[in-house]
Amino acid sequence: MAKLFGTDGVRGLANGHLTAELALDLSVSAAHVLVESGSFDGRRPLAVVGRDTRISGQFLEAAVVAGLASAGVDVLLLGELPTPGVAYLTGALDADLGVMLSASHNAMPDNGIKFLSRGGVKLDDAIEEAIEARMEEPWERPVGGDVGRVTAHPTAIEEYAAHLVGTVGRPLAGIKVVLDCAHGAASVAGPKALADAGAEVIAICAEPDGLNINDGCGSTHLEVLQRTVVAHGADVGFALDGDADRCLAVDAQGHVVDGDQILAILALSLREEGRLAADTVVATVMSNLGFVQAMQAAGIVVRQTAVGDRYVLEDMKTGGYSLGGEQSGHVIMSAHATTGDGVLTALQVLKRMAVTGLPIAALASVMTRLPQVLVNVPGVDKARADSDEALLAAVHEAVSELGAAGRVLLRPSGTEPLVRVMVEAVTADQAQGVADRLADVVRERLAL
């Protein structure tokens, strides 16, 4: 059987790759692994299940719940709730397992299943492998009173929003904010949390119909947010993705504030408050060099991991760090969350604006984004990208040309036969020229 779990759960075309049968089998297997690895003192294990707004989440939720309950696990239904909300309630409700049904920023036809262990943290690779290995094995089914109970938990949104508001510590009165909810899982929780914290909120793309999630809106399509912020004279705008674990922003003029800039704002804020552990922030190799330079100038250490919030989380956990994130808008604040949380990120940026009295444009100006060009080169033998001598020589030449003011990164794709060429330089023309030149070498040297 092909490996099911990717870097963020099991994801694919709903009712294509990701079927009800697969969802049920995965849930049964997860229940078996859960029961055998835990101690329950005679009680049934407890799971919480949430989903985003995709129409396919309805049948997948039914399949997941059926699998868990049939294996003797009690289930609380959280309904439509962001991934970080499910993670929070997994811990707050003392659940043994959390399940989120979402394909995040992917288009509506996709969906996914993400399992969370006690405390709302992502499963270790070893546990995911154990779940896969146990699928479709014979098992003794509980009967009678030993099957699981299924109960709705109607206050999930209120509890999650209250948790978010509790992280702010001061009213946000006087700040007008536009929140693009991507017609996704935070369409209710997001505007509620910001409004309860005192901000004046204009919610857009917050009318999910099961089909419109991420459709021309949210963190992957900022144009509607930019227009709305300017049209309403708002102070700032934030865009979430379908499951609200990421957040990007725009300033009052509609200019984009990306994940690196948000991370810089929060790093300086936490250090000022004495809450930036080891004066260190965790980012990825794709973080803009301008971010790294700004943090170094401020005396903050930047640790860089492979691309993916999973790897950022792992490094934060290992080192005990309090802040990490990605350019794409995944920001993790370990004092308040176990995963990226877009609404939490927006609230913390708004708090910084309120404390300093500065607009987000001024706060983001702490770093200067270097022009960054990314060229994907398909149809190549990516396995040879780090060993071909001619390619390595071309990279070395490009690095020497750019000097300390630029950067080159060749990264084989984890899922496709392609190599990504990323170049940063002082000017966009120089970055594009170097990237195109290296892409030509990749095509010539690694052609299949």
Side-chain angles (χ1 to χ4, degrees):
M1 180 175 66
K3 180 171 169 52
L4 289 173
F5 285 91
T7 57
D8 203 20
V10 178
R11 192 176 293 186
L13 179 64
N15 225 23
H17 166 68
L18 184 55
T19 62
E21 293 86 349
L22 177 58
L24 190 146
D25 288 344
L26 272 170
S27 301
V28 168
S29 182
H32 291 164
V33 171
L34 170 68
V35 169
E36 293 178 6
S37 63
S39 176
F40 303 102
D41 298 324
R43 68 173 178 84
R44 285 183 298 274
L46 174 67
V48 296
V49 179
R51 59 185 174 88
D52 70 18
T53 56
R54 295 164 213 268
I55 194 69
S56 59
Q58 296 179 1
F59 80 77
L60 289 172
E61 177 188 67
V64 165
V65 171
L68 293 172
S70 71
V73 177
D74 287 346
V75 179
L76 291 179
L77 296 175
L78 304 181
E80 293 176 355
L81 195 70
T83 291
V86 175
Y88 167 70
L89 288 173
T90 300
L93 297 174
D94 200 25
D96 303 292
L97 181 71
V99 186
M100 178 65 188
L101 301 169
S102 176
S104 188
H105 59 281
N106 286 26
M108 181 276 295
D110 287 349
N111 215 322
I113 302 176
K114 183 189 302 184
F115 294 107
L116 302 166
S117 60
R118 287 189 65 84
V121 299
K122 292 186 177 183
L123 298 186
D124 293 336
D125 290 344
I127 298 178
E128 291 182 344
E129 291 169 3
I131 291 173
E132 286 195 30
R134 299 287 298 276
M135 289 181 64
E136 300 181 2
E137 69 176 5
W139 58 293
E140 184 176 346
R141 301 169 184 269
V143 295
D146 292 332
V147 300
R149 277 66 163 169
V150 181
T151 309
H153 189 71
T155 57
I157 288 175
E158 288 74 13
E159 292 172 43
Y160 171 55
H163 157 68
L164 293 174
V165 174
T167 71
V168 178
R170 63 167 295 148
L172 302 177
I175 301 178
K176 181 188 289 190
V177 55
V178 178
L179 184 66
D180 181 344
C181 301
H183 297 303
S187 292
V188 176
K192 176 176 175 55
L194 269 59
D196 287 353
E200 178 184 347
V201 183
I202 301 168
I204 62 172
C205 304
E207 299 177 352
D209 61 9
L211 306 176
N212 58 2
I213 186 170
N214 298 322
D215 186 9
C217 57
S219 61
T220 53
H221 302 279
L222 294 174
E223 299 82 8
V224 63
L225 176 63
Q226 292 171 301
R227 292 195 300 268
T228 306
V229 166
V230 173
H232 285 268
D235 299 298
V236 63
F238 297 98
L240 310 173
D241 64 339
D243 70 335
D245 65 352
R246 68 169 69 181
C247 171
L248 294 178
V250 302
D251 66 19
Q253 285 71 48
H255 301 139
V256 175
V257 178
D258 69 11
D260 286 337
Q261 293 169 295
I262 290 172
L263 202 57
I265 292 170
L266 296 179
L268 294 174
S269 175
L270 287 177
R271 193 187 59 172
E272 184 178 295
E273 297 170 3
R275 297 193 295 120
L276 185 65
D279 283 344
T280 297
V281 60
V282 181
T284 76
V285 294
M286 288 299 290
S287 289
N288 194 277
L289 182 58
F291 167 77
V292 177
Q293 293 172 339
M295 293 297 95
Q296 290 174 341
I300 294 174
V301 176
V302 178
R303 292 179 57 84
Q304 291 183 280
T305 73
V307 176
D309 66 317
R310 181 189 193 97
Y311 304 110
V312 173
L313 275 165
E314 287 176 358
D315 198 73
M316 290 178 65
K317 182 178 179 180
T318 300
Y321 304 119
S322 52
L323 179 66
E326 296 187 279
Q327 192 179 72
S328 60
H330 282 115
V331 175
I332 304 149
M333 305 184 74
S334 61
H336 306 302
T338 59
T339 185
D341 189 327
V343 183
L344 173 66
T345 299
L347 282 167
Q348 294 304 309
V349 172
L350 290 169
K351 174 186 174 182
R352 184 62 172 169
M353 292 171 61
V355 167
T356 62
L358 296 174
I360 191 172
L363 295 173
S365 67
V366 66
M367 65 163 281
T368 300
R369 285 186 295 184
L370 292 182
Q372 187 180 82
V373 172
L374 179 65
V375 178
N376 292 326
V377 187
V380 295
D381 182 3
K382 62 184 181 181
R384 294 191 290 118
D386 59 357
S387 61
D388 184 86
E389 292 185 2
L391 178 57
L392 294 177
V395 171
H396 178 74
E397 180 182 346
V399 169
S400 298
E401 175 187 334
L402 296 171
R407 187 164 66 109
V408 173
L409 177 66
L410 259 65
R411 187 168 67 89
S413 168
T415 57
E416 304 172 78
L418 62 82
V419 171
R420 307 187 195 281
V421 179
M422 190 275 283
V423 176
E424 291 170 339
V426 174
T427 68
D429 287 344
Q430 184 184 27
Q432 188 70 59
V434 173
D436 289 341
R437 189 169 74 235
L438 287 176
D440 288 341
V441 177
V442 171
R443 292 187 189 93
E444 177 185 343
R445 299 295 303 177
L446 305 185
L448 292 173

